[in-house]
Amino acid sequence: MSLDSITRTIDESVGGFFEPIATWLGGVVFYAVDINGAEVPLIVAWLVIAGLVFSGWFGLIQFRKFGLALRVVRGKYDEKGAAGEVSHFQALTAAVSGTVGLGNIAGVAVAVSIGGAGATFWMIVCGLLGMATKFVEVTLGVKYREVHADGTVSGGPMHYLPKGLAERFGAGGAKLGKVLAVLASAMILFFGLFGGNLFQVNQSYAQLTAVTGGEDGLMGSSGGALLFGIVIAALVGVVLLGGIRSIASVTSRLVPAMAAVYVAACLVVITVNITAVPAAFERIVSEAFNPQGVAGGILGALIVGFKRAAFSNEAGLGSAPIAHSAAKTRHPASEGLVALLEPFIDTVIVCTMTALTIVIANPESWGEARAGESIGGVTITSDAFATVLPWFPYILTVAVLLFAFSTVLTWGYYGLKAWTYLFGRSRASELTFKALYTVFAVAGSLLTLQTLIDLADAVLFTLAVINIIGLYLLAPVVKRELSSFLQFVRARDRGADTGAGDAEPETGEDAMTPTR
């Protein structure tokens, strides 16, 4: 029996078993209501409403404190001797690497195909709202993280939900929080294996195959797929063994580099078509409120834009606080401010640059997609670049590989923290997960397992429901942490001795908060 027939049999067997589950849960999580011809997914509305509420609750903090966030990420308010494993900048790049990926390249093209150029405007709006949600969840992630005796850190919804709810609501909150923490861990682990790992490897392999001759090319055989999977798995395994410090070391170099290359390519296309830029912006704004040929009119464009942004920057899903919790700080709100830059980078910059490039280049494939033909998102983006850079598909392949690799790394860390919360932090437990994760990376180049990937998406967005309820209940805690940090900032700016290096960091498995 050949390798191809084995993988085909596995795909069909797994798909047949899980398809009813994936269909049912997807129908529940992504349930949509029809409003004036536009399908409105309730989970997207849930995420957007959270962004609106937190933007109002914290007085549009994403705008008022944007400059402060930049100063924090540059290290101006670093505290000597603070608990944590990585710098503010490294924590940010590690988290961004988990969100910036194929969705920014292919997903945006799909959004402007379905929702028109106006979807870009609503993507930006949703990204700006998501900045407030990200601030809240990451502040809580640092506030209730565990700093272990060896100096390593664990954080995320599996920590701040039980600890925060217990602190605010006593025994009843503790019981509810424990249940939610287990569910959150299981959801993050499941998505990490299938969405954050297998899917990323699968799609990057597909792109590599496409530019090397397709199924008849160098990488088209099952042997080529296996080799690709083994190479990716080996690289991922080596980095994962080094923990968050190793991951942050890689992503702090990889993320800025790959983002710079991608944005530079966008700017080349935009510069060559510089005379078309004013008309493109005018089209984006006008079609946001008066879309052409979009089902559901303005509401249709709005929903498509919001959906793309919400799925891309993951604000409110509870994943990013895991990476940000490792930041060296005594003031949780300091990392919360750093985290609000994440949706700005992911959605307002990268997603918008992709959309603007497509609108300005106006490739033939985009027009065909707008007319209703089924054309892949990566194809549209690639064609847009090819109007100026005929060799760009090869650069795009490199970008896809780098985006995918960094995403696999970050979700490996997220998955590890979920795994150790469920099964303990012993060395054997951690090595078991890392071995399992690398095996899934190999499988990603051989198997599609689309049903499990669809199920993983539904599971992750189920977490958003649980997580955001917790954010609402714990928002007063975030308010106090912000006030504490702003007081620290004012004292530091005056040149006062803030005593940053006097306290010893709190450690231990049951540490409720970092020292501040």
Side-chain angles (χ1 to χ4, degrees), residues 272-407:
V272 170
N273 297 279
I274 193 68
T275 57
V277 172
F281 275 111
E282 182 182 352
R283 183 177 181 182
I284 288 171
V285 175
S286 64
E287 288 195 19
F289 299 95
N290 184 30
Q292 302 298 314
V294 180
I298 179 175
L299 188 59
L302 182 150
I303 293 303
V304 171
F306 276 8
K307 182 178 179 179
R308 177 66 261 147
F311 281 35
S312 179
N313 61 49
E314 298 181 9
L317 270 62
S319 51
I322 301 174
H324 285 286
S325 294
K328 296 177 181 178
T329 183
R330 291 192 179 88
H331 292 84
S334 68
E335 189 60 22
L337 289 171
V338 168
L340 65 76
L341 298 173
E342 191 182 325
F344 184 82
I345 295 169
D346 176 272
T347 306
V348 179
I349 295 180
V350 180
C351 285
T352 301
M353 291 298 285
T354 300
L356 189 60
T357 299
I358 293 171
V359 173
I360 288 175
N362 195 18
E364 183 179 344
S365 56
W366 183 42
E368 293 172 348
R370 297 282 289 126
E373 294 187 20
S374 178
I375 297 179
V378 172
T379 301
I380 296 171
T381 305
S382 181
D383 288 349
F385 285 111
T387 60
V388 174
L389 308 169
W391 40 263
F392 187 78
Y394 298 101
I395 302 298
L396 184 62
T397 299
V398 174
V400 167
L401 290 172
L402 294 178
F403 280 140
F405 181 64
S406 64
T407 299

Side-chain angles (χ1 to χ4, degrees), residues 50-62 128-133:
L52 283 167
V53 170
F54 294 128
S55 294
W57 202 329
F58 292 94
L60 297 177
I61 190 170
Q62 62 268 57
L128 294 173
L129 294 176
M131 293 168 71
T133 305

Side-chain angles (χ1 to χ4, degrees), residues 53-75:
V53 170
F54 294 128
S55 294
W57 202 329
F58 292 94
L60 297 177
I61 190 170
Q62 62 268 57
F63 303 110
R64 292 189 303 108
K65 300 301 179 184
F66 190 86
L68 176 58
L70 292 176
R71 294 195 296 276
V72 174
V73 82
R74 291 201 304 265

Side-chain angles (χ1 to χ4, degrees), residues 111-491:
V112 295
S113 296
I114 299 173
T120 308
F121 178 87
W122 298 114
M123 271 194 297
I124 295 172
V125 171
C126 188
L128 294 173
L129 294 176
M131 293 168 71
T133 305
K134 193 79 78 167
F135 162 74
V136 174
E137 63 182 346
V138 168
T139 298
L140 291 172
V142 179
K143 165 73 174 175
Y144 295 106
R145 66 183 177 178
E146 289 186 5
V147 183
H148 305 297
D150 61 359
T152 59
V153 175
S154 297
M158 66 282 279
H159 294 278
Y160 61 71
L161 288 175
K163 293 178 180 179
L165 293 177
E167 186 180 276
R168 286 213 69 201
F169 303 105
K175 292 179 181 178
L176 174 63
K178 188 66 176 179
V179 172
L180 296 181
V182 171
L183 289 174
S185 296
M187 293 171 186
I188 290 170
L189 177 60
F190 190 83
F191 183 84
L193 291 172
F194 293 98
N197 183 351
L198 188 143
F199 175 72
Q200 297 293 326
V201 175
N202 182 273
Q203 292 300 293
S204 57
Y205 169 69
Q207 177 66 15
L208 181 61
T209 301
V211 299
T212 54
E215 293 183 1
D216 298 325
L218 179 66
M219 299 299 297
S221 68
S222 56
L226 182 60
L227 175 63
F228 178 81
I230 291 174
V231 170
I232 293 295
L235 292 173
V236 170
V238 168
V239 178
L240 278 184
L241 286 173
I244 186 61
R245 296 179 187 179
S246 177
I247 294 171
S249 177
V250 172
T251 57
S252 64
R253 293 172 173 82
L254 192 60
V255 171
M258 67 188 186
V261 169
Y262 186 74
V263 170
C266 292
L267 290 175
V268 169
V269 176
I270 293 170
T271 302
V272 170
N273 297 279
I274 193 68
T275 57
V277 172
F281 275 111
E282 182 182 352
R283 183 177 181 182
I284 288 171
V285 175
S286 64
E287 288 195 19
F289 299 95
N290 184 30
Q292 302 298 314
V294 180
I298 179 175
L299 188 59
L302 182 150
I303 293 303
V304 171
F306 276 8
K307 182 178 179 179
R308 177 66 261 147
F311 281 35
S312 179
N313 61 49
E314 298 181 9
L317 270 62
S319 51
I322 301 174
H324 285 286
S325 294
K328 296 177 181 178
T329 183
R330 291 192 179 88
H331 292 84
S334 68
E335 189 60 22
L337 289 171
V338 168
L340 65 76
L341 298 173
E342 191 182 325
F344 184 82
I345 295 169
D346 176 272
T347 306
V348 179
I349 295 180
V350 180
C351 285
T352 301
M353 291 298 285
T354 300
L356 189 60
T357 299
I358 293 171
V359 173
I360 288 175
N362 195 18
E364 183 179 344
S365 56
W366 183 42
E368 293 172 348
R370 297 282 289 126
E373 294 187 20
S374 178
I375 297 179
V378 172
T379 301
I380 296 171
T381 305
S382 181
D383 288 349
F385 285 111
T387 60
V388 174
L389 308 169
W391 40 263
F392 187 78
Y394 298 101
I395 302 298
L396 184 62
T397 299
V398 174
V400 167
L401 290 172
L402 294 178
F403 280 140
F405 181 64
S406 64
T407 299
V408 172
L409 288 180
T410 298
W411 273 98
Y413 179 69
Y414 293 168
L416 175 63
K417 291 304 177 181
W419 176 279
T420 54
Y421 185 86
L422 293 170
F423 303 110
R425 287 186 61 250
S426 69
R427 179 170 176 78
S429 175
E430 291 190 358
L431 287 176
T432 299
F433 170 80
K434 291 172 183 177
L436 178 65
Y437 199 75
T438 54
V439 168
F440 268 73
V442 176
S445 63
L446 298 169
L447 303 170
T448 57
L449 298 182
Q450 187 59 51
T451 301
L452 281 177
I453 292 169
D454 293 340
L455 181 58
D457 282 338
V459 164
L460 184 64
F461 279 87
T462 301
L463 174 60
V465 177
I466 295 172
N467 186 54
I468 289 176
I469 290 175
L471 302 187
Y472 286 140
L473 295 174
L474 297 175
V477 177
V478 178
K479 200 91 166 181
R480 292 195 297 270
E481 292 298 333
L482 176 60
S483 177
S484 172
F485 179 63
L486 293 179
Q487 184 178 0
F488 167 82
V489 167
R490 287 190 291 269

